[in-house]
Amino acid sequence: MNKVELFIPCFIDQLYPETAFNTIKILERAGCEVIYNTEQTCCGQPAYNAGFWDDAKVIGQKFLNDFSEEHPIVSPSASCTGMVREGYDDLFTNSTDHNRCRGIQRNIFELSDFLVNVLKKEYFGAELIGTAVYHDSCAALRECNIKEEPRRLLSHVGGLELVEMRDQETCCGFGGTFAVKFEGISTAMAEQKVKNALAVNADYIISTDASCLLQLQAYIDKHKLAIKTIHLVDVLTSGWANI
């Protein structure tokens, strides 16, 4: 049995705990033994993106101590995976943590990447009736080079029709602190993304990143629109009672 260490980002822990539990379910169904270190907190991305690199380094050092180089580290967040893989270069290159950091960077995977490319598993018996668009998060697409993996997983979900939408690879407008500093631009970008999904009659917007879904769902709720955001993990664990 494959042992994996689970990294649950702080905002999933606080806002989407069900997604965290579903990540464990999908990894166990894939044949993994899941190790969860309850001491874990954050990867340091908020501080890093805001320019507070000294603070980000302190949080990053804790992350390096909370996880090991012994097992794959799997996370239901391309954004946080990308931070560790890319952002940690700025924080730890040529530091005393350099070698340990490199080991962790080689070992961390976003969930869809791990399922498809490492475990070679794509079918989990999920079922979700409706039409969906997949939102390519900036981090998944540009930092983790993830594009086909989520689509391959979704292609095996019973009852789900996956369609492409206009400006498929355009940002949703979240961008961490960008959404706070530039609220007007951020909201307009979310509006465009949601309208593009509605234009193809989608029932769901699916993504690997809960932060993008938080941004889009806020716009949907404010305008009471007939569409729903849902994390990839929550789709892959839908309808299991039906099989």
Side-chain angles (χ1 to χ4, degrees):
M1 181 176 281
N2 296 302
K3 286 188 177 182
V4 300
E5 296 183 35
L6 179 63
F7 170 46
I8 296 298
C10 45
F11 57 88
I12 291 183
D13 178 64
Q14 295 295 312
L15 301 174
Y16 299 101
E18 198 61 35
T19 300
F21 287 114
N22 284 340
T23 303
I24 297 172
K25 288 179 186 176
I26 201 81
L27 285 168
E28 288 180 341
R29 181 162 282 210
C32 296
E33 179 185 337
V34 180
I35 302 165
Y36 180 74
N37 180 359
T38 57
E39 296 299 311
Q40 65 179 271
T41 53
C42 176
C43 64
Q45 184 176 190
Y48 175 83
N49 286 347
F52 298 102
W53 284 19
D54 289 342
D55 295 324
K57 189 169 183 178
V58 172
I59 300 167
Q61 282 172 325
K62 183 183 186 320
F63 183 94
L64 296 180
N65 292 333
D66 287 340
F67 293 91
S68 76
E69 301 169 67
E70 192 177 340
H71 310 114
I73 303 159
V74 182
S75 179
S77 168
S79 175
C80 297
T81 302
M83 171 63 193
V84 175
R85 284 185 178 176
E86 304 288 335
Y88 278 22
D89 285 351
D90 293 322
L91 302 179
F92 298 111
T93 296
N94 296 328
S95 72
T96 53
D97 294 300
H98 180 99
N99 291 338
R100 177 161 175 71
C101 178
R102 289 290 178 269
I104 295 287
Q105 286 176 313
R106 284 191 294 269
N107 231 19
I108 190 165
F109 299 88
E110 182 274 330
L111 182 78
S112 70
D113 179 24
F114 185 71
L115 294 176
V116 172
N117 296 322
V118 179
L119 296 184
K120 311 294 185 188
K121 293 181 184 288
E122 297 181 14
Y123 175 69
F124 296 95
E127 186 176 294
L128 182 67
I129 307 299
T131 301
V133 291
Y134 174 75
H135 164 60
D136 291 285
S137 79
C138 297
L141 196 62
R142 296 172 178 88
E143 292 183 349
C144 300
N145 297 316
I146 293 166
K147 185 170 177 66
E148 293 307 317
E149 291 85 352
R151 289 172 170 83
R152 283 168 62 177
L153 291 165
L154 291 170
S155 73
H156 297 289
V157 176
L160 189 68
E161 181 189 5
L162 194 65
V163 296
E164 295 289 302
M165 61 179 160
R166 186 180 172 191
D167 298 329
Q168 184 70 49
E169 298 180 357
T170 302
C171 178
C172 70
F174 180 67
T177 53
F178 177 87
V180 178
K181 293 178 179 177
F182 304 100
E183 184 184 354
I185 302 171
S186 171
T187 302
M189 293 170 76
E191 177 183 27
Q192 187 176 44
K193 181 66 70 170
V194 173
K195 283 187 172 178
N196 287 340
L198 288 169
V200 292
N201 300 314
D203 302 301
Y204 304 102
I205 301 174
I206 301 168
S207 184
T208 56
D209 277 271
S211 52
C212 297
L213 300 179
L214 178 71
Q215 159 87 349
L216 297 173
Q217 191 65 51
Y219 180 85
I220 291 165
D221 289 346
K222 183 177 180 180
H223 297 278
K224 297 180 173 59
L225 300 172
I227 191 168
K228 182 185 177 186
T229 61
I230 183 167
H231 194 286
L232 176 68
V233 173
D234 300 324
V235 177
L236 296 179
T237 50
S238 294
W240 281 5
N242 298 332
I243 60 168

